[in-house]
Amino acid sequence: MQRGQFNSKAGFIMAAAGAAVGLGNVWGFPTQVASNGGGAFVLVYLLLAFCLAYPALMAELIIGRSARANAVTALPMLTDKPQLKVGGRIVGIAGLVTVAVILSFYAIIAGWLIAFAIAPVTQFLGFNEAEKWLTTFSLSRNVAFTFFFMVLTIIIISQGISNGIERWSKRMMPALIVILIALIAYMLTLPNALVGLEHYLKPDFSQIFNSQLIISAMGQAFFSLSLGVGCMLIYGSYLSSDENIVKAGAWVTLLDVGLAFIAGLLIIPSMYIASHFGVEIFDAEGALLSSDTLIFQILPALFEQMGSAGPIVALLFFLLMSLAALTSSISLLEVPVAYVVEAHDKKRHITSWVIGGLITLLSLIIVFNFDWLFGLVIAITTKYSQPLLGLFFCVYAGWVWQRNNALQEIKKGFEDAENSFFWKIWPWYVKFVCPLFIIIMFIHAL
Ligand code: TRP
């Protein structure tokens, strides 16, 4: 069977940046900044994203393009040793499980955001009951919108690589960037925005070596670049061999980190604007409120204060968040779907609906056991499973795979790779620096 492929380099970059740019950027990063003391977190994050996450991203992309297969098939292909083949399969399968769980909580949050995006429209039309239902965290609303979001995700994935993922990413990503910049331009004209900007951009250097902060920044970087579950590996496997993979990966990293940074320019100043309008933005200890309180209470309270502009800003803001979520959720669903389609020779259309349906069920289990399950699955997958699996991907790229094979793969679209700065440090990085850093952080976290 003919394997799908992205049509162009731009298509790949949009799709992979779409996978990377998601709730992690527009929600996770700004709220982490808020709860980890502002600019210090920004600085550490930037450093880790480029020095730790980018090399790990390249490991996945290069393995993927070389194997032209999903992670479960690709990792065992890197070696002749039977035990290492089995190990590779286990890592791949653990990635599949992790990605399914990530999608199941991701869809719940995305559902809230879509509901909040529709609410201003119902308000405008005068459907007050509907607006109230959309913005209240009831079981019925959460079930309905988790379901709705999963159906959108499944429809795109069932359309395939170039016709589904690439086509939709090329539409949604530019829209997302335009909305983001328009909102920032508007927000920065409001009172108190500059105080927020200062808090965001001025690092408190005493916090920089705070290990809790470093661990959070590392988890954030891994989540944001979609590492450790074979997601970037499968996207790399759809990239043409004629393209310079080092450059393409650098673009994806730049867009991901850049958009997280820019999202911070929107959210942190917005909090201080809200504070100007009398909304409480600090907790009892004097730290900035964050996470869901920030997104679903502080910001809506701010939009309420904006008069006639309020509903429009609210609509654009939650639309932005929903778009970010959708370009990422499709990459999450693609991982198990690609595996079943390739390894078990099934049809993409039916597979998308079956796997998507099973993950929706998992989501609903979380919705019905929200209080104890939601935070738990987020912590297990993003704090532990992802960095640990990311470590194994680096080990397979750096220790198990022949160095020369990796070089030959890079050279396909980048003839002079051997003499490049990238090749001088990357092999060394995935072999030593990334694994060591992850291990140290891991021991520390435990
Ligand atoms: N990176 C996305 C975000 O920032 C989420 C995401 C997409 C993801 N694919 C992934 C996270 C694979 C972990 C693994 O929101």
Side-chain angles (χ1 to χ4, degrees):
M1 191 174 52
Q2 173 94 43
R3 247 185 138 251
Q5 188 164 320
F6 293 121
N7 283 328
S8 65
K9 182 167 150 199
F12 165 80
I13 291 175
M14 282 295 166
V21 177
L23 299 180
N25 303 62
V26 294
W27 166 323
F29 178 73
T31 65
Q32 291 252 28
V33 172
S35 56
N36 281 295
F41 186 85
V42 180
L43 200 65
V44 174
Y45 177 77
L46 292 179
L47 217 69
L48 288 183
F50 287 115
C51 301
L52 190 69
Y54 171 64
L57 168 71
M58 289 313 299
E60 284 201 36
L61 290 179
I62 297 168
I63 294 175
R65 197 177 70 170
S66 156
R68 294 266 177 231
N70 66 86
V72 183
T73 314
L75 290 176
M77 283 164 72
L78 302 179
T79 169
D80 292 327
K81 299 205 176 70
Q83 293 99 325
L84 287 174
K85 277 185 183 290
V86 173
R89 255 188 94 78
I90 293 175
V91 171
I93 291 171
L96 287 185
V97 175
T98 303
V99 92
V101 177
I102 291 180
L103 179 53
S104 68
F105 76 72
Y106 211 81
I108 298 173
I109 305 176
W112 300 338
L113 293 164
I114 294 191
F116 270 73
I118 298 175
V121 181
T122 53
Q123 186 190 358
F124 177 77
L125 296 173
F127 300 149
N128 294 335
E129 283 299 307
E131 194 215 347
K132 199 156 162 251
W133 179 69
L134 287 168
T135 53
T136 310
F137 284 74
S138 65
L139 206 55
S140 64
R141 189 212 60 175
N142 292 348
V143 169
F145 278 88
T146 301
F147 203 80
F148 179 58
F149 181 78
M150 281 303 298
V151 168
L152 292 181
T153 305
I154 294 168
I155 288 175
I156 296 179
I157 284 305
S158 72
Q159 295 174 340
I161 317 308
S162 57
N163 204 29
I165 299 176
E166 181 173 0
R167 189 163 62 109
W168 284 99
S169 300
K170 275 166 95 172
R171 290 176 183 168
M172 291 192 280
M173 285 303 286
L176 180 149
I177 293 173
V178 170
I179 297 175
L180 183 58
I181 292 178
L183 280 176
I184 293 174
Y186 175 67
M187 287 292 188
L188 289 183
T189 64
L190 298 179
N192 220 22
L194 296 183
V195 180
L197 207 55
E198 189 180 337
H199 179 81
Y200 181 53
L201 296 178
K202 214 164 141 188
D204 168 3
F205 285 101
S206 69
Q207 289 295 312
I208 281 181
F209 296 107
N210 177 337
S211 59
Q212 220 39 57
L213 187 152
I214 300 177
I215 290 174
S216 302
M218 178 175 83
Q220 177 62 30
F222 269 79
F223 185 80
S224 191
L225 274 171
S226 311
L227 301 176
V229 299
C231 176
M232 286 304 183
L233 192 149
I234 196 79
Y235 273 43
S237 80
Y238 300 142
L239 174 65
S240 152
S241 296
D242 304 333
E243 306 294 351
N244 181 337
I245 198 169
V246 175
K247 247 195 189 157
W251 266 111
V252 173
T253 310
L254 272 177
L255 276 168
D256 183 53
V257 173
L259 283 172
F261 183 78
I262 295 175
L265 290 177
L266 173 67
I267 309 259
I268 306 293
S270 296
M271 293 188 81
Y272 282 80
I273 300 167
S275 155
H276 175 82
F277 284 115
V279 181
E280 191 51 66
I281 66 167
F282 297 102
D283 66 13
E285 272 99 59
L288 279 173
L289 291 165
S290 68
S291 187
D292 51 337
T293 324
L294 165 55
I295 306 291
F296 295 113
Q297 286 174 23
I298 297 179
L299 296 181
L302 167 63
F303 303 146
E304 292 265 301
Q305 300 289 331
M306 287 180 163
S308 55
I312 298 169
V313 176
L315 169 70
L316 286 177
F317 179 81
F318 286 107
L319 182 65
L320 164 78
M321 294 247 163
S322 308
L323 287 175
L326 192 55
T327 54
S328 291
S329 66
I330 55 179
S331 77
L332 289 159
L333 182 57
E334 176 62 16
V335 179
V337 168
Y339 165 71
V340 174
V341 167
E342 283 179 1
H344 297 282
D345 207 16
K346 297 277 188 257
K347 293 242 177 323
R348 170 170 282 268
H349 189 80
I350 178 91
T351 306
S352 307
W353 284 96
V354 171
I355 305 262
L358 290 173
I359 295 177
T360 309
L361 268 180
L362 193 58
S363 275
L364 294 182
I365 292 176
I366 299 176
V367 168
F368 282 101
N369 296 279
F370 191 84
D371 289 341
W372 65 276
L373 203 51
F374 183 68
L376 187 68
V377 294
I378 294 182
I380 293 176
T381 50
T382 64
K383 263 201 183 139
Y384 301 103
S385 180
Q386 249 196 305
L388 196 64
L389 291 171
L391 165 73
F392 283 114
F393 276 97
C394 287
V395 167
Y396 268 78
W399 293 87
V400 176
W401 205 16
Q402 294 282 329
R403 215 175 113 108
N404 193 44
N405 291 347
L407 179 62
Q408 292 316 319
E409 181 55 43
I410 300 171
K411 277 173 95 168
K412 284 180 186 164
F414 179 21
E415 270 170 38
D416 201 25
E418 228 157 335
N419 302 313
S420 66
F421 176 64
F422 178 80
W423 186 253
K424 289 201 178 81
I425 58 172
W426 179 77
W428 184 76
Y429 244 86
V430 281
K431 208 162 177 174
F432 299 106
V433 180
C434 298
L436 259 179
F437 192 88
I438 299 172
I439 291 171
I440 293 172
M441 283 298 131
F442 220 71
I443 293 172
H444 204 101
L446 293 177

